[in-house]
Amino acid sequence: SQTIHQWPATLVQPVGSPLSLECTVEGTSNPNLYWYRQAAGRGLQLLFYSVGIGQISSEVPQNLSASRPQDRQFILSSKKLLLSDSGFYLCAWSPGTERYEQYFGPGTRLTVT
Amino acid sequence: AQSVAQPEDQVNVAEGNPLTVKCTYSVSGNPYLFWYVQYPNRGLQFLLKYITGDNLVKGSYGFEAEFNKSQTSFHLKKPSALVSDSALYFCAVRDGITSSNTGKLIFGQGTTLQVKP
């Protein structure tokens, strides 16, 4: 069966510090991968998605970036965090066709102070 | 453009009563529709989906949803609510034209379900 992991679970970082969040998927190959941010427990904002290694599409211009160095690894980064980067970050994967749902990881709670 | 609307921020139901969480959508092609549930500080859990076939779809934890093409709706239902159903519910859509390669979903803003004992 497939499993998706995210770490860390929680993170408190000062403004201006770098960020690296990691997401890995087990039990599947060539998944589509997604990064979302959820603010204040409400709607989801799609940040990045990837359909293959090294292929990253950005949905929202911001000071975040994403990379996919391996087939089942998706990393969200920032060089300098802003207060507005605080939120709940969710990684998700799907088998890559339109008929399939996305499966979400447990999330990372980021607080920028 | 694709869009999803969940017109109610919150739905309150007494335990044992039926519940409905509303969702309407707009897509340019055939819709693929999904419902997710989120408990506090957790990731989203998949409940059910409509791809094709029967308009009434059954999913996890006793939930079901009815696809209505003429009303462009996909309301989530449960015959008898439990206190443990209290959570945040998201409706999502993708169409088979613009998202066929990316698998991108468009999510509604979410509806908080409160089930009172």
Side-chain angles (χ1 to χ4, degrees):
Chain A
S1 64
Q2 300 85 13
T3 310
I4 179 168
H5 303 279
Q6 285 186 249
W7 63 89
T10 60
L11 191 59
V12 180
Q13 293 283 93
V15 169
S17 64
L19 172 74
S20 181
L21 302 182
E22 189 164 342
C23 171
T24 59
V25 181
E26 297 177 353
T28 188
S29 60
N30 198 31
N32 284 0
L33 295 171
Y34 311 87
W35 277 113
Y36 292 89
R37 177 168 58 202
Q38 186 179 31
R42 297 306 300 188
L44 297 169
Q45 179 185 37
L46 179 63
L47 302 175
F48 301 95
Y49 68 93
S50 172
V51 299
I53 295 174
Q55 300 178 60
I56 308 294
S57 296
S58 174
E59 290 290 298
V60 183
Q62 56 211 325
N63 69 319
L64 298 172
S65 62
S67 62
R68 185 171 177 174
Q70 300 180 45
D71 182 44
R72 291 169 289 175
Q73 184 185 30
F74 205 23
I75 297 172
L76 183 69
S77 304
S78 174
K79 292 182 179 178
K80 289 186 177 181
L81 283 168
L82 306 173
L83 285 174
S84 57
D85 291 324
S86 293
F88 194 49
Y89 288 82
L90 291 160
C91 182
W93 75 275
S94 74
T97 71
E98 66 271 18
R99 289 175 170 259
Y100 289 93
E101 57 273 24
Q102 292 180 11
Y103 301 93
F104 284 79
T108 294
R109 174 74 59 191
L110 172 65
T111 303
V112 182
T113 61
Chain B
Q2 303 175 77
S3 66
V4 177
Q6 293 182 241
E8 302 153 317
D9 283 345
Q10 182 159 324
V11 170
N12 297 310
V13 176
E15 188 173 31
N17 283 359
L19 69 87
T20 298
V21 182
K22 296 179 180 178
C23 172
T24 59
Y25 66 90
S26 175
V27 298
S28 52
N30 290 324
Y32 300 129
L33 296 153
F34 305 83
W35 275 103
Y36 288 83
V37 61
Q38 185 182 31
Y39 296 98
N41 296 310
R42 301 289 184 91
L44 277 66
Q45 295 179 33
F46 168 72
L47 283 177
L48 52 79
K49 66 182 177 184
Y50 171 82
I51 302 299
T52 187
D54 290 341
N55 290 341
L56 186 63
V57 178
K58 295 187 182 298
S60 305
Y61 312 121
F63 284 94
E64 58 190 27
E66 186 169 11
F67 171 65
N68 187 316
K69 188 174 182 178
S70 63
Q71 297 185 6
T72 61
S73 67
F74 189 55
H75 301 332
L76 182 70
K77 301 181 179 184
K78 188 173 183 181
S80 179
L82 301 172
V83 172
S84 57
D85 292 329
S86 299
L88 182 58
Y89 289 80
F90 289 98
C91 181
V93 67
R94 79 162 64 96
D95 73 49
I97 297 175
T98 59
S99 304
S100 60
N101 294 327
T102 67
K104 287 167 53 179
L105 288 174
I106 304 299
F107 284 87
Q109 285 302 298
T111 297
T112 298
L113 174 66
Q114 287 277 8
V115 181
K116 301 280 177 68

